[in-house]
Amino acid sequence: MSKVYIPLSGVKKGGSPPGSIRKEWKELMTYVSVVIITFNIPRIVDLSEHQHDSQDLVIMDVSPLYPDYSPFNIPIAGDIAIAGVRSGSGPPLLLLHGFPQTHLIWHRVAPSLLEHFTLIIPDLRGYGSSSKPASTDPDDHSLYSKSTTAADMVSLMQKLNYQKFYICAHDRGARVAHKLCIDYPDKVDKCILLDICPTKAMFLAARHPFAQLYWHWFFLSQPPPFPEHVIAAAPATFARKTLAAPELYDEVAYKAYAAQFEDEATVHAMCEDYRAAAKEDIEEQMADEEAGRKVQCPVRVLWGKEAVVEKLFDARAEWKKVCVEGSLDEDGSFAVEGGHFIPEERPADVVNCILDFFR
C-alpha cells in the first residue's frame, strides 16, 4: 500500500497560496496526504470510457413523486443542459440536492411550499438527467468545480427569467449555494444550507474521525479511473453504503439514487465532483478568503444531531468566518433530530425553516 497525494496547486499557477493562508495550505496538504490511502495501482487513464451523452441515463419514471409539476431540460451553455421540475406560485425558490441524490430529495418538502413559492428543483450537473461532461485532463476538474456549477444555476434561473431568488440546498448542493452566494451576491435574497460546513474547514479537520466518517471524500477523489472501476464492480453495494438506511427513502427515490451507480457517465461525474472539491474548490475558497469575499445575504444553517457536522464541528463558528458580520442568523441555525439526509428524514423541519426565514 502507498500514499496517494491529491495534486493541490497554488492559487497562482505554479505557486503556493499567498500570505496569511500559506500555513493552512501546508497543513491541508499534510492531512490530505495522510488520510488518502489506497492500493498501489498504476495511474492509467482511459477517458474514452467516460464519453457518454448526457441523455444516456434514464433512471426511471419519477412522475409519482412530483405530480403535475412541469419538467424542464434547458440548455444553458454549449452542450450543457440542466434538467428538473418546477411548480408553485410566488417568489422563486431554488432547491439543490446533494450526493448521491437528485432533485427527488425534495419530494417530501415541496408540497408544503407550493402555495408560497415558485419551486425550481434541478438536477445538478453530473447527476440525474442533467448533462455529464467528461473531463479530458486527469489533473483538471474545473468542469465540476462549485464555481462552474454555481454558474450553471445562475444561467438556469436567468433562462427562466428569475433575476433574484431564494436558495435552500443540501450537501453538495449547499456547497454550490455557498459559492453562488460569493460569486453572485446580487442574485440571492436569502439562503438556507443543510448539513455542511465550508469545504476548506472540513478538509482541514481531516484527521482520523473525519476520515473514517467521510471516507467517500477521499475515495471518490482518487485519480481516474480507479474509483470508477471499483464502483462499477459493485454498484448496489456502494448505493447501500452511501445512502445508509434504505428505509429512510421513498422506494421510487431510492431506486433512482441507486441507479446512478450503474451509469458510467454519472459515476465519473460524481468522482469529478469530489476531485474538484479536493483541488479547485479549496483553491477557490482560499482565493475568496484572501480577497475578503464573503457571503453577504442572510443565511441560516441546519444540521443533523446524529451527523458529522454536529459531532466534529462548531457549525455556527465556521459559517461566521465566511459570512459578513450579521448575515448569519445564529439564533435560527441549529441541529435538528436525525442524520445527514435532512430533507427526507426531517422534511417538516426544513419546511418550517423555509417558511419562517424566507417569508
Side-chain angles (χ1 to χ4, degrees), residues 3 36 97 147 154 169 194 218 271 285 310 342 357:
K3 296 177 184 176
I36 300 183
H97 69 85
S147 60
V154 170
L194 302 179
F218 307 103
C271 293
Q285 287 192 9
E310 172 73 2
I342 297 174
F357 192 47

Side-chain angles (χ1 to χ4, degrees), residues 110 179 227 255 262 295:
K179 187 57 175 166
K255 288 181 178 178
E262 300 176 4
V295 176

Side-chain angles (χ1 to χ4, degrees), residues 124-168:
L124 295 173
R125 171 190 294 233
Y127 293 81
S129 296
S130 289
S131 294
K132 301 165 183 66
S135 297
T136 57
D137 181 344
D139 293 321
D140 181 0
H141 317 296
S142 57
L143 282 173
Y144 289 91
S145 70
K146 301 308 167 288
S147 60
T148 298
T149 314
D152 286 349
M153 295 301 104
V154 170
S155 295
L156 170 66
M157 297 302 277
Q158 288 177 336
K159 292 276 187 178
L160 295 171
N161 295 317
Y162 300 124
Q163 300 307 314
K164 197 167 186 177
F165 43 88
Y166 297 102
I167 305 177
C168 181

Side-chain angles (χ1 to χ4, degrees), residues 276-333:
K279 182 176 181 286
E280 283 83 356
D281 294 351
I282 292 174
E283 293 172 354
E284 289 175 355
Q285 287 192 9
M286 288 182 165
D288 289 338
E289 182 180 322
E290 188 71 13
R293 292 189 292 267
K294 295 187 175 185
V295 176
Q296 298 181 33
C297 69
V299 177
R300 273 190 185 178
V301 183
L302 300 183
W303 60 95
K305 286 185 178 179
E306 299 173 15
V308 170
V309 171
E310 172 73 2
K311 293 176 181 178
L312 300 181
F313 297 91
D314 182 341
R316 295 184 192 88
E318 294 296 344
W319 282 107
K320 282 182 69 175
K321 295 175 186 177
V322 299
C323 295
V324 300
E325 186 175 355
S327 64
L328 177 66
D329 179 7
E330 294 186 63
D331 291 338
S333 298

Side-chain angles (χ1 to χ4, degrees), residues 29-47:
M29 290 283 283
T30 301
Y31 297 155
V32 171
S33 69
V34 169
V35 297
I36 300 183
I37 308 292
T38 189
F39 295 105
N40 189 12
I41 296 175
R43 182 172 174 170
I44 301 173
V45 180
D46 181 7
L47 291 171

Side-chain angles (χ1 to χ4, degrees), residues 327-349:
S327 64
L328 177 66
D329 179 7
E330 294 186 63
D331 291 338
S333 298
F334 55 89
V336 299
E337 297 296 333
H340 173 65
F341 297 101
I342 297 174
E344 285 169 298
E345 292 184 62
R346 306 290 299 182
D349 288 332

